[in-house]
Amino acid sequence: DGGITQSPKYLFRKEGQNVTLSCEQNLNHDAMYWYRQDPGQGLRLIYYSQIVNDFQKGDIAEGYSVSREKKESFPLTVTSAQKNPTAFYLCASSMRQGNTEAFFGQGTRLTVV
Amino acid sequence: QKEVEQNSGPLSVPEGAIASLNCTYSDRGSQSFFWYRQYSGKSPELIMFIYSNGDKEDGRFTAQLNKASQYVSLLIRDSQPSDSATYLCAVKEPGANNLFFGTGTRLTVIP
């Protein structure tokens, strides 16, 4: 089945650790995105990528890093510099051209312990 | 800074009533508008999209767009308890590929 797969579903991180969230899609979409959602809040854009080997900062990129070595994959690393990383992280993808919607993965819930 | 604004609610309607959800956006050049539904703890799923001024209907859902007023709305007719969720408005500017989301409106349909 075509879709977007995020893993893991739940992730626990100790303070000071870096963790990497996985996002893989087989929809042949060019564009991929990472959003953060805090309880009762909307989605805030962390990073997005429109083509392989290129990505742009979103509104809240500090403390995060990404890579786009393959069209299918867009992993997000939450670094120790991110002071409040506990949140629900959503990966999405879309066609690069046209008025097309974004499709979302199931999300990763990250908790700092 | 792009802005997409929604009333956070909560909005409560009785079962069978019409629920009206509203969204305003700041970039007059915006051309694509999307409504997503998000159940608690789940990822957003697309309900409708609209590109042209006027109304677009799909089953019990109607999206309305007024570009002059920079306003987009979602009407849900014959509301059901299963419609209880947070509804997110999203806007895409021309030439951009990232969606700007509002904070969402939480809807509760009371049986």
Side-chain angles (χ1 to χ4, degrees), chain A residues 38-107:
Chain A
D38 293 286
Q41 302 296 314
L43 279 64
R44 291 186 291 169
L45 183 65
I46 305 173
Y47 269 98
Y48 66 100
S49 168
Q50 298 190 28
I51 55 173
V52 174
N53 292 322
D54 184 61
F55 47 83
Q56 306 295 326
K57 292 182 178 180
D59 299 322
I60 56 165
E62 185 175 352
Y64 301 97
S65 66
V66 294
S67 63
R68 188 83 186 278
E69 297 177 1
K70 298 187 300 181
K71 186 176 184 178
E72 301 79 16
S73 179
F74 191 40
L76 173 73
T77 297
V78 184
T79 75
S80 57
Q82 172 48 241
K83 298 306 179 187
N84 186 22
T86 296
F88 188 44
Y89 290 87
L90 287 158
C91 179
S93 71
S94 72
M95 297 297 290
R96 186 157 64 99
Q97 302 297 331
N99 296 318
T100 56
E101 71 272 23
F103 295 88
F104 286 86
Q106 293 306 302

Side-chain angles (χ1 to χ4, degrees), chain A residues 33 35 37 41-43 45 48 50 59 88 90 94 96 98-102 104-106 109, chain B residues 1 31-32 34 36 38 41-44 46 49 51 88 92 97-104:
Chain A
Y33 321 85
Y35 293 92
Q37 188 175 37
Q41 302 296 314
L43 279 64
L45 183 65
Y48 66 100
Q50 298 190 28
D59 299 322
F88 188 44
L90 287 158
S94 72
R96 186 157 64 99
N99 296 318
T100 56
E101 71 272 23
F104 286 86
Q106 293 306 302
R109 192 167 298 280
Chain B
Q1 176 73 26
Q31 295 186 346
S32 308
F34 305 87
Y36 285 83
Q38 186 179 25
K42 304 296 185 183
S43 60
L46 182 71
F49 58 86
Y51 307 142
L88 298 164
K92 183 186 287 188
N97 291 294
N98 48 298
L99 292 178
F100 295 95
F101 283 86
T103 54

Side-chain angles (χ1 to χ4, degrees), chain B residues 74-91:
Chain B
L74 179 70
L75 301 178
I76 306 174
R77 291 182 300 281
D78 188 24
S79 295
Q80 302 297 310
S82 59
D83 294 327
S84 298
T86 296
Y87 290 81
L88 298 164
C89 172
V91 176

Side-chain angles (χ1 to χ4, degrees), chain A residues 1-20:
Chain A
D1 286 356
I4 303 175
T5 302
Q6 288 186 243
S7 62
K9 187 174 182 180
Y10 298 98
L11 185 59
F12 297 90
R13 189 194 96 168
K14 292 182 180 179
E15 288 192 17
Q17 278 185 336
N18 292 355
V19 291
T20 297

